[in-house]
């Protein structure tokens, strides 16, 4: 009898030891100031749910199908790397579940020592399982099944509100430039129309960097600002808007601007400018003959500088037209993002009187410290990560529900 009990204790202990060895916490990006994955474990997001299990099993099969391929594209390799952590944790979970099932076979044992050992091991397995479930959930929520792009075009345009909207457009543009620097990406200025008082009517840039499109695609839409303008004498709060459009840009995209396709005209600059106005032919107008698109520039005193700026403007317009023709959904995407720039179409509100930022698309999307937020650093990054996870939850439920219908 004693030796039989001893044999069972050793057997269970060996299974527990092997389970501990098989569990290796996988390196996942740690969420910053976000709700821990466990708080997302509502009935819709229990890893033990059959729908989630079916989804995880599909990911596992996809991973091994890619792994046995003799020839893999760059896209296949990126997908494998994306799947590997989740699949590894899912397989570790299956081992833990098998070991828990084995423990149930010994539940009727009456020996006190055995009962205590089984209780301790069930608690240990439960602790490992909870941590694994949280890590798996964190992993699948951080995945994005939508196609990624190496770079994007960002357009920031003043909407309703006149000069005040233009001033805030400049602040938003500077915020995104700060965010680009914070993330270590690259930015290339294509076009900017600035005002005399430091505002911006419209600015277009190309942003390039790892995951830049994934992070910034949710920034497209109407941004609303509520504050007392510097020119307001009665202290009344004004509401203005700025629109942001995000257009994906494929890695193989490049505009080929040939000199033979350009008709370049010069004329004397007009408007304010002191003694240099109307004395030299510094203003430049360029017509792109194949498309008929024309641009002008007279902001600089040098004709050469105006010529370079005009070419940049032309490249920006041709880039936008080419991308919109390449992606049939881009125009609809842009329209859905910017709408009609109306105040009630906002995705985010910047309230200066309350020192508050509220993103209207996510629960708990309110933050404070506007000055810090507009620097484009960690606070903006936190808000974007919340948006990513919120959108990913919706995307995940759509995928799971579609699979359940099949």
């Amino acid at each position: 009898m004693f030796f039989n009990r001893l044999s069972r204790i050793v057997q269970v202990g060996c299974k527990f030891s092997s389970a501990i060895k098989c569990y290796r916490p996988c390196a996942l990006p740690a969420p910053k100031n976000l709700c821990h994955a466990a708080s997302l474990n509502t009935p819709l997001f229990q890893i033990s749910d059959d729908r989630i299990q079916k989804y995880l099993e599909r990911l596992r099969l996809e991973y091994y199908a890619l792994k046995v391929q003799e020839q893999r594209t760059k896209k296949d390799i990126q997908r494998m790397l994306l799947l590997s952590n989740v699949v590894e944790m899912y397989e570790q979970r299956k081992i833990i579940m098998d070991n828990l099932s084995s423990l149930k076979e010994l539940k009727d044992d009456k020996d006190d020592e055995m009962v205590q050992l089984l209780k301790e091991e069930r608690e240990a397995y439960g602790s490992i399982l909870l941590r694994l479930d949280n890590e798996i959930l964190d992993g699948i929520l951080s995945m994005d099944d939508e196609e990624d792009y190496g770079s994007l075009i960002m357009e920031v345009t003043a909407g309703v509100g006149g000069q005040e909207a233009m001033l805030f457009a400049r602040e938003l543009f500077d915020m995104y430039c700060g965010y680009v620097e914070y993330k270590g990406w690259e930015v290339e200025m294509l076009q900017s129309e600035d005002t005399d008082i430091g505002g911006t009517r419209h600015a277009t840039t190309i942003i390039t960097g790892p995951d830049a499109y994934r992070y910034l695609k949710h920034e497209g839409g109407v941004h609303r600002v509520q504050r007392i303008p510097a020119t307001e004498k009665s202290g009344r709060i004004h509401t203005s808007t700025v629109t942001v459009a995000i257009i994906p840009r494929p890695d193989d995209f490049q505009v080929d601007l040939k000199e033979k396709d350009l008709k370049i005209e010069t004329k004397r600059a007009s408007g304010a400018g002191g003694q240099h106005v109307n004395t030299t032919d510094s203003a430049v107008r360029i017509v792109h003959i194949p498309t008929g698109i024309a641009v002008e520039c007279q902001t600089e005193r040098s004709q050469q500088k105006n010529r370079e700026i005009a070419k940049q403007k032309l490249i920006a317009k041709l880039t936008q037209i080419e991308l919109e023709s390449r992606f049939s959904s881009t125009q609809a995407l842009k329209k859905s993002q910017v709408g009609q720039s109306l105040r009630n179409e906002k995705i985010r509100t910047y309230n200066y009187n309350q020192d508050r930022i509220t993103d209207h698309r996510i629960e708990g999307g309110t933050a404070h410290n506007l000055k810090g937020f507009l620097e484009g650093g960690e606070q903006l990054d936190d808000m974007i990560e919340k948006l990513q996870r919120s959108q990913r939850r919706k995307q995940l439920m759509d995928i799971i529900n579609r699979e359940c219908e099949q």
Side-chain angles (χ1 to χ4, degrees), residues 11 68 80 83 124 136 142 163 251 278 293 299 313 368 381:
Q11 184 182 26
V68 298
M80 276 186 64
L83 293 171
I136 291 171
S142 66
Q163 289 288 348
D251 294 336
N278 294 325
I293 295 173
T299 57
K313 287 184 176 182
H368 293 86
D381 199 42

Side-chain angles (χ1 to χ4, degrees), residues 51-322:
R51 297 172 301 171
I52 301 287
Q53 288 290 308
K54 185 178 179 181
Y55 175 67
L56 287 169
E57 184 61 23
R58 181 176 72 77
L59 294 183
R60 189 182 74 84
L61 294 175
E62 181 187 354
Y63 172 73
Y64 283 107
L66 288 170
K67 195 171 183 178
V68 298
Q69 280 184 197
E70 293 184 2
Q71 294 184 337
R72 289 190 291 265
T73 64
K74 181 181 177 182
K75 189 175 179 180
D76 290 336
I77 295 171
Q78 289 174 340
R79 181 64 177 170
M80 276 186 64
L81 291 173
L82 193 64
L83 293 171
S84 60
N85 276 346
V86 171
V87 170
E88 183 180 351
M89 290 185 292
Y90 173 56
E91 291 180 337
Q92 290 175 10
R93 187 185 193 278
K94 291 176 74 172
I95 294 172
I96 297 294
M97 293 302 295
D98 289 343
N99 288 339
L100 279 170
S101 297
S102 297
L103 287 180
K104 289 179 182 179
E105 298 173 5
L106 303 171
K107 66 179 180 179
D108 296 329
D109 198 297
K110 304 299 183 183
D111 182 80
D112 291 341
E113 188 178 356
M114 190 66 172
V115 169
Q116 181 61 29
L117 179 61
L118 291 174
K119 180 183 176 183
E120 290 174 1
E121 292 186 5
R122 275 196 298 269
E123 290 175 354
Y125 280 137
S127 177
I128 294 174
L129 194 62
L130 178 63
R131 185 171 178 181
L132 266 176
D133 282 0
N134 288 338
E135 289 181 354
I136 291 171
L137 184 60
D138 215 29
I140 59 178
L141 286 177
S142 66
M143 292 169 62
D144 191 336
D145 290 334
E146 294 182 8
E147 188 171 359
D148 193 18
Y149 299 89
S151 61
L152 60 100
I153 290 180
M154 171 181 279
E155 298 177 359
V156 178
T157 306
V160 177
Q163 289 288 348
E164 173 63 11
M166 296 177 198
L167 287 170
F168 189 63
R170 183 69 204 186
E171 291 175 59
L172 269 192
F173 179 74
D174 289 342
M175 177 185 77
Y176 288 121
C177 287
Y179 189 61
V180 167
E181 184 177 351
Y182 174 79
K183 300 295 283 188
W185 298 331
E186 296 179 3
V187 61
E188 177 187 347
M189 195 72 195
L190 287 183
Q191 183 182 6
S192 180
E193 296 179 27
D194 300 328
T195 66
D196 295 337
I197 61 172
T200 295
R201 291 186 179 87
H202 178 85
T204 305
T205 60
I206 294 176
I207 297 173
T208 306
D211 294 324
Y213 178 71
R214 289 191 192 278
Y215 273 83
L216 290 172
K217 64 183 178 181
H218 301 304
E219 290 300 290
V222 178
H223 297 245
R224 182 178 69 174
V225 59
Q226 295 174 323
R227 64 183 178 186
I228 302 172
T231 55
E232 174 60 52
K233 296 181 180 179
S234 62
R236 186 167 54 91
I237 295 175
H238 287 226
T239 299
S240 307
T241 65
V242 172
T243 62
V244 177
I246 306 295
I247 303 171
R249 187 172 184 265
D251 294 336
D252 61 349
F253 180 81
Q254 188 175 0
V255 171
D256 184 18
L257 202 62
K258 299 176 181 176
E259 288 293 330
K260 65 182 181 65
D261 293 333
L262 305 180
K263 180 182 177 183
I264 301 176
E265 303 170 348
T266 59
K267 61 179 182 178
R268 293 189 176 182
S270 59
Q275 60 181 341
H276 292 278
V277 173
N278 294 325
T279 60
T280 59
D281 291 338
S282 60
V284 174
R285 182 175 185 267
I286 300 179
V287 179
H288 187 244
I289 298 171
T291 61
I293 295 173
V295 294
E296 293 186 13
C297 183
Q298 58 177 23
T299 57
E300 301 293 330
R301 294 179 178 178
S302 162
Q303 184 188 110
Q304 183 61 34
K305 287 184 178 179
N306 282 331
R307 183 190 296 253
E308 291 173 2
I309 294 171
K311 280 188 177 181
Q312 290 175 357
K313 287 184 176 182
L314 180 58
I315 288 173
K317 289 192 175 185
L318 292 175
T319 296
Q320 183 175 339
I321 291 171
E322 175 61 26

Side-chain angles (χ1 to χ4, degrees), residues 354-357 367-374 379:
Q354 300 174 11
D355 193 29
R356 168 179 58 82
I357 311 100
H368 293 86
N369 184 12
L370 257 167
K371 182 179 178 181
F373 191 90
L374 290 171
Q379 274 192 274

